[in-house]
Amino acid sequence: MKPLDPRLLRYARTTRLFLAASVVLGAATAGLIIAQATLLAGMLTRAFLGGATLTGLRTPLLLLLAVVLGRTLVAWLQEVTAHRSSAAVKSQLRGRLLARSLRLGPRWLSGERSGELATLATRGIDALDDYFSRYLPQLVLAVIVPLAVGARILLGDWLSAVTIAATLPLIPVFAILVGLTTQRKMDRQWRTLSILAAHFLDVVAGLPTLKIFGRARTQAARIREITDRHRRATMSTLRIAFLSALVLELLSTLSVALVAVSIGLRLVEGGLGLETALLVLILAPEAYLPLRQVGAQYHASVEGLTAASRIFEVLETPAPATGTRSDVPDLARSTLRLEEVTVAYPGRDAPALDTFSLTVHPGETVALTGPSGAGKSTVLSVLLGFVQPDSGRVLVDWDDLGSFDPDAWRARIAWVPQRPYLFAGSVASNIRLGRPDASDTEVRAAAEAANALSFIEALPSGLDTPLGDRGTGLSAGQRQRIALARAFLRDAPLLLLDEPTSNLDGESEAEVIEAVARLKAGRTVVLVAHRPALTALADRTIAVANAEVTA
């Protein structure tokens, strides 16, 4: 793995400012280290050879105190800069990851593990803290400090400088060898963590089904097995980290010992002055310390880099081309045409749609019927712009749908899916998704038109009643009517309905059908239906079977 992934500079520009600040602070650190060593060597020489007292050493002591305070201030500035930069970079990456996922669309998301994406956006990006707060600043110091310290030692004792120059490269060489092994271990650990997160999310979502069929204990055992694999992978990585720290410490200790032995022999023979000898002995460990710390901090940052690599894979996934036109025609007066549209999903032997053609006239209600898997929902996905045809075209009058900006196109559409998603929030906020700037009066009127107001008023706080994730606390029919209220509030000329009465009891079905009959008035409607009561609302019924359409 590269010490600095260039994609961080491309996707998170804050990194550049952080690196510039790290270079400035690293140079200040190097200067303060040399100043501290020079003051210490001079004071010790004057005290032992010149007999200087504390009074005579007052000025260098005050300067030494100032240098120590300066190093403390620089270290604090490095921490503050690192944490602020890390927070900015994480925010940018999260925003880009979300934006890219939205741009790639539901078709791409259907092939991804939602648990892995959630882990990437949370734990994965948070793991970059160690990379920015520890690894990158130490990497800058590992370049600047040894060069500055080596140059100062060279001016005082060239033989010690040569010894340091000869032994210093051994540390990064061994660090790279250990790092390669660590990277392989961390890749395995991250894969295990992603599997654990995805599996745990699936188990939680399907817990009622597992309980009914008596498989909850089996899945709990499976989670324990994956967790144990993750534990073993983590401990294996930590073991290598501790061993690498031992290797790097041993190398630097032996290298400093070589310098110290050489200085000691020449000091005894009188070939080297005490002040120079002390200066070199104080500075020599400082030349090796940043490189040793780089090796140690690398292990703390590997998880973040591994997650970042996966994030960059998502960010670099080619997104489908989209149009830019915002002049969408009036859909209340436009004819929709699907001309020999073919859509094939990865991993499926047969296409979902094969040369499918359909014409929907303004103000017409068309019902698509047929067995599951025939491609009815795919037709709606194509009209929504979620799926682009592999061949064929979709026309709005005589304009290609692909030439319009997706947001401008969807602003003219109201969509009621088979299983509407309700978010954690109030009933009113969920209805207001249809039009965020709607007033309370308009929200209430939409709920009434969708036959939802009666049960909403029976809730503890009416429209202000908070709902759990996925509309916890409401029945399927109630959730469906809230979705219809969104469509009423949106008041769009094109209405797409995907089996709005599936899995509903007779009473709820009647309420929904009455609301749909009211909603479709004056609009162009394409609906997917299985039940006769819903198809009765249509002007035309299109039977879809095995990707062949019969009117």
Side-chain angles (χ1 to χ4, degrees):
M1 179 172 288
K2 299 176 182 178
L4 174 62
D5 195 324
R7 292 174 294 186
L8 275 172
L9 300 177
R10 186 162 67 252
Y11 290 111
R13 295 183 178 180
T14 307
T15 309
R16 301 177 184 179
L17 297 175
F18 170 64
L19 287 176
S22 296
V23 170
V24 173
L25 294 172
T29 299
L32 291 171
I33 287 173
I34 294 173
Q36 178 179 308
T38 302
L39 288 171
L40 278 173
M43 290 169 55
L44 291 174
T45 302
R46 289 173 59 184
F48 283 100
L49 298 184
T53 62
L54 287 177
T55 303
L57 297 175
R58 179 184 302 169
T59 300
L61 280 173
L62 291 175
L63 290 175
L64 181 62
L65 178 61
V67 169
V68 172
L69 292 176
R71 291 190 67 176
T72 303
L73 177 62
V74 169
W76 177 77
L77 288 174
Q78 284 179 328
E79 286 286 330
V80 171
T81 304
H83 285 292
R84 288 188 176 180
S85 299
S86 176
V89 169
K90 291 191 300 181
S91 178
Q92 290 177 13
L93 287 180
R94 279 199 180 96
R96 287 179 176 271
L97 181 63
L98 177 59
R100 195 63 174 182
S101 299
L102 293 175
R103 177 80 185 279
L104 291 171
R107 185 173 183 178
W108 174 82
L109 285 171
S110 64
E112 297 292 319
R113 288 178 175 268
S114 56
E116 182 183 4
L117 289 176
T119 304
L120 276 177
T122 53
R123 165 73 180 271
I125 293 181
D126 283 337
L128 285 172
D129 278 332
D130 288 335
Y131 179 76
F132 278 90
S133 63
R134 299 181 183 180
Y135 178 67
L136 276 186
Q138 196 61 48
L139 190 64
V140 173
L141 291 178
V143 175
I144 296 176
V145 172
L147 288 176
V149 169
R152 180 63 185 88
I153 292 176
L154 181 62
L155 294 177
D157 180 23
W158 68 269
L159 185 58
S160 296
V162 170
T163 303
I164 292 174
T167 56
L168 200 61
L170 295 176
I171 294 180
V173 168
F174 277 86
I176 291 172
L177 293 176
V178 174
L180 293 175
T181 304
T182 304
Q183 181 59 46
R184 289 194 295 269
K185 295 284 188 180
M186 184 55 70
D187 288 341
R188 188 180 302 116
Q189 180 194 14
W190 179 255
R191 287 194 299 270
T192 306
L193 178 61
S194 299
I195 293 172
L196 175 62
H199 189 70
F200 185 77
L201 183 63
D202 290 341
V203 169
V204 171
L207 191 57
T209 303
L210 293 173
K211 290 288 290 183
I212 289 172
F213 288 95
R215 303 297 294 173
R217 292 185 180 274
T218 302
Q219 291 301 320
R222 175 64 174 160
I223 289 177
R224 282 196 298 271
E225 177 188 345
I226 300 175
T227 303
D228 190 58
R229 282 164 49 192
H230 180 255
R231 177 189 61 80
R232 290 197 302 268
T234 302
M235 295 307 297
S236 177
T237 305
L238 289 175
R239 185 162 53 248
I240 293 176
F242 289 136
L243 290 175
S244 68
L246 173 63
V247 170
L248 297 181
E249 287 286 346
L250 181 61
L251 278 173
S252 61
T253 301
L254 292 176
S255 300
V256 172
L258 287 175
V259 175
V261 169
S262 172
I263 287 176
L265 292 175
R266 285 181 290 143
L267 190 62
V268 171
E269 294 175 355
L272 191 66
L274 178 61
E275 185 172 354
T276 301
L278 289 173
L279 177 65
V280 173
L281 285 176
I282 294 172
L283 286 178
E286 297 287 354
Y288 295 95
L289 180 61
L291 288 172
R292 282 164 35 206
Q293 291 297 318
V294 164
Q297 301 302 343
Y298 174 79
H299 297 284
S301 68
V302 168
E303 182 180 0
L305 287 176
T306 302
S309 297
R310 174 64 181 125
I311 292 170
F312 295 139
E313 288 179 13
V314 176
L315 296 180
E316 293 172 354
T317 301
T322 57
T324 57
R325 291 177 54 184
S326 58
D327 56 332
V328 179
D330 183 2
L331 297 185
R333 301 177 181 177
S334 301
T335 299
L336 299 178
R337 294 180 178 87
L338 280 72
E339 296 184 348
E340 297 187 347
V341 170
T342 297
V343 175
Y345 293 113
R348 291 181 56 172
D349 296 332
L353 290 176
D354 189 7
T355 60
F356 175 83
S357 296
L358 174 67
T359 300
V360 182
H361 299 289
E364 186 180 27
T365 298
V366 175
L368 303 178
T369 64
S372 298
K376 304 183 300 297
S377 296
T378 300
V379 173
L380 299 187
S381 296
V382 169
L383 290 174
L384 285 164
F386 290 157
V387 174
Q388 293 188 348
D390 295 304
S391 64
R393 58 181 185 166
V394 182
L395 300 177
V396 184
D397 284 338
W398 297 107
D399 293 317
D400 195 309
L401 175 59
S403 64
F404 297 113
D405 177 76
D407 292 334
W409 168 251
R410 291 172 192 142
R412 272 80 168 176
I413 299 175
W415 179 47
V416 180
Q418 183 178 356
R419 294 180 178 84
Y421 195 98
L422 301 187
F423 296 88
S426 67
V427 174
S429 66
N430 272 280
I431 295 176
R432 199 173 267 116
L433 284 176
R435 184 154 54 88
D437 59 347
S439 65
D440 292 341
T441 302
E442 291 171 321
V443 170
R444 186 180 184 85
E448 185 175 8
N451 290 334
L453 191 60
S454 57
F455 78 81
I456 291 175
E457 289 182 335
L459 297 174
S461 301
L463 285 166
D464 295 325
T465 302
L467 301 177
D469 290 327
R470 301 178 183 271
T472 302
L474 298 181
S475 68
Q478 291 171 336
R479 291 195 293 268
Q480 201 70 48
R481 277 176 277 171
I482 288 180
L484 286 169
R486 290 175 182 168
F488 272 106
L489 191 63
R490 194 167 185 84
D491 194 23
L494 177 59
L495 175 63
L496 303 180
L497 303 170
D498 190 358
E499 301 188 45
T501 60
S502 65
N503 304 317
L504 300 185
D505 56 59
E507 182 180 351
S508 297
E509 181 184 20
E511 294 277 359
V512 170
I513 288 176
E514 181 184 343
V516 170
R518 191 180 301 120
L519 177 60
K520 80 182 190 72
R523 294 179 173 85
T524 301
V525 182
V526 179
L527 61 91
V528 173
H530 281 152
R531 300 192 180 185
L534 191 59
T535 56
L537 300 176
D539 301 315
R540 277 193 300 144
T541 299
I542 303 296
V544 183
N546 298 323
E548 296 179 357
V549 180
T550 304

